[in-house]
Amino acid sequence: MQYEEVASQHFLTLRRTPFPHALIEQALLEMGGGGPAGMSYRKKVLAAAGWPHDGLVPFAKYPEQAASTFNRIRLALESGPDADGLLALLGVKPA
């Protein structure tokens, strides 16, 4: 699936339609299996894509960094990988 490019102002404004980063997060949760497993997978992908902060730091605190992270994930998702394939594209070696 293709997503709109993520811009830093997306983390600082509101709109009726979901921002691309929200859609990407939903896709990551689904890829990870939903629930706690999905949240854990989402966290791994964000870290692999360059988000250095824990889950308590809002994206709006570092909007440029967040946009860069989500755009890296967005580009990797364009090739349609599965959950393990996405992590591999982002540089995580299989365990």
Side-chain angles (χ1 to χ4, degrees):
M1 180 176 193
Q2 291 193 3
Y3 299 95
E4 172 187 344
E5 185 173 355
V6 179
S8 60
Q9 66 264 25
H10 289 167
F11 300 98
L12 305 171
T13 58
L14 298 173
R15 73 178 187 189
R16 287 186 184 265
T17 57
F19 284 110
H21 68 276
L23 298 174
I24 291 169
E25 283 189 286
Q26 287 176 345
L28 295 177
L29 291 172
E30 289 173 16
M31 287 175 79
M39 290 299 289
S40 176
Y41 177 74
R42 172 193 162 274
K43 186 177 177 180
K44 275 187 205 175
V45 171
L46 285 170
W51 183 249
H53 310 287
D54 65 23
L56 299 176
V57 176
F59 297 123
K61 187 165 184 176
Y62 302 100
E64 292 292 332
Q65 215 172 27
S68 174
T69 298
F70 276 102
N71 281 320
R72 188 163 178 220
I73 296 168
R74 178 181 62 85
L75 293 173
L77 283 171
E78 285 182 0
S79 64
D82 62 358
D84 292 332
L86 178 60
L87 286 170
L89 284 171
L90 295 171
V92 175
K93 296 180 182 171

